[in-house]
Amino acid sequence: MRERTSVPSEREPGAPVVGRAAQAAATRRQIVETAQRLFAGRGYQATSLQAIADEMGLTKAAVYYHFRTKAQILQASLDPTVEEMTVLLDELAGMPSRQERLDAYAVGWVDFLVRNRELGTMLLHDPEIRAASVYAENDTRRRRVLRVLFGGSPTPAERMAYVMCLWMLEGLGELSDLSDGDLRATLLLTARGLLAVPDASGAQGAPGASGGDGAR
């Protein structure tokens, strides 16, 4: 256990407002990063606000000043991943070629998975994290992804290809022994096969992708 300190200097009346805000934001980031590490190592249920405070060398009150519940910390850790996928989807919607959209989605999704590989470990063990994550997407987002990738009337095979790509997130825990580079190569080969995106040699992946361009 690290030496405990009291942090929320944003309460100090003499500190400049900008400095207090920057320090508060930095402390929030540190709390979220610490919580993510503990969620992955111990599990969500086994990680308390006190455990997060102890790991950081803070008082529980200092953590509580920024986050009233563990669920708020979890949501703060997942919000950037949802935003990242929203940005990717906006970029795909502006691409006129179906082939270009599918390949860009495969690359973007795999890069997201590699950057967030700890999330896969957490998903494997914690239903609470599974329910809150980008993995548990709502119907509106799902319909938009399918429309952007495959057009207005995706086939059953296309819908299943998308679902299987999404499930790759949960499977990350099975590949925890791979380096980032090897993980990316493995996932990209898998995603391109599922989406029937030709590889560099021009060989076609899994069959079944049909449908027109112009999905927005």
Side-chain angles (χ1 to χ4, degrees):
M1 183 184 301
R2 300 178 186 177
E3 183 181 352
R4 191 172 298 201
T5 57
S6 182
V7 160
S9 60
E10 57 269 23
R11 292 177 176 176
E12 296 174 8
V17 173
V18 174
R20 293 202 305 270
Q23 186 161 10
T27 302
R28 284 178 61 89
R29 285 195 302 271
Q30 291 168 6
I31 291 171
V32 169
E33 290 168 1
T34 301
Q36 285 177 320
R37 194 165 59 248
L38 293 179
F39 291 161
R42 303 181 183 182
Y44 180 78
Q45 286 286 5
T47 302
S48 63
L49 290 180
Q50 185 64 65
I52 296 168
D54 289 343
E55 181 70 14
M56 296 182 67
L58 304 180
T59 64
K60 183 178 177 180
V63 174
Y64 188 78
Y65 179 83
H66 296 278
F67 297 99
R68 296 302 179 94
T69 66
K70 185 172 60 172
Q72 288 181 352
I73 301 178
L74 174 60
Q75 193 59 56
S77 71
L78 294 174
D79 281 346
T81 66
V82 175
E83 176 62 25
E84 187 176 345
M85 294 311 301
T86 300
V87 170
L88 173 62
L89 196 59
D90 290 342
E91 293 174 353
L92 296 179
M95 297 178 181
S97 163
R98 169 196 170 98
Q99 185 65 46
E100 185 181 10
R101 291 195 303 272
L102 288 172
D103 192 46
Y105 176 76
V107 172
W109 178 237
V110 166
D111 286 344
F112 169 85
L113 293 176
V114 174
R115 282 193 300 272
N116 297 279
R117 59 186 304 173
E118 279 192 348
L119 180 57
T121 301
M122 292 189 286
L123 282 170
L124 198 60
H125 302 291
D126 284 293
E128 294 91 347
I129 295 178
R130 183 198 308 267
S133 75
V134 66
Y135 178 83
E137 57 176 25
N138 58 46
D139 286 342
T140 300
R141 189 188 308 139
R142 176 180 175 276
R143 286 195 298 269
R144 188 187 179 207
V145 174
L146 288 171
R147 186 172 64 251
V148 167
L149 292 181
F150 300 114
S153 301
T155 67
E158 289 166 347
R159 283 156 36 205
M160 180 54 69
Y162 168 65
V163 171
M164 295 299 291
C165 281
L166 195 61
W167 284 346
M168 289 167 63
L169 177 58
E170 187 172 351
L172 288 176
E174 297 297 326
L175 300 175
S176 59
D177 58 313
L178 298 183
S179 67
D180 283 356
D182 288 343
L183 178 64
R184 187 180 188 279
T186 300
L187 296 180
L188 192 56
L189 180 65
T190 303
R192 281 177 163 156
L194 289 169
L195 295 169
V197 177
D199 62 24
S201 66
Q204 191 74 16
S210 62
D213 287 345
R216 290 283 175 131

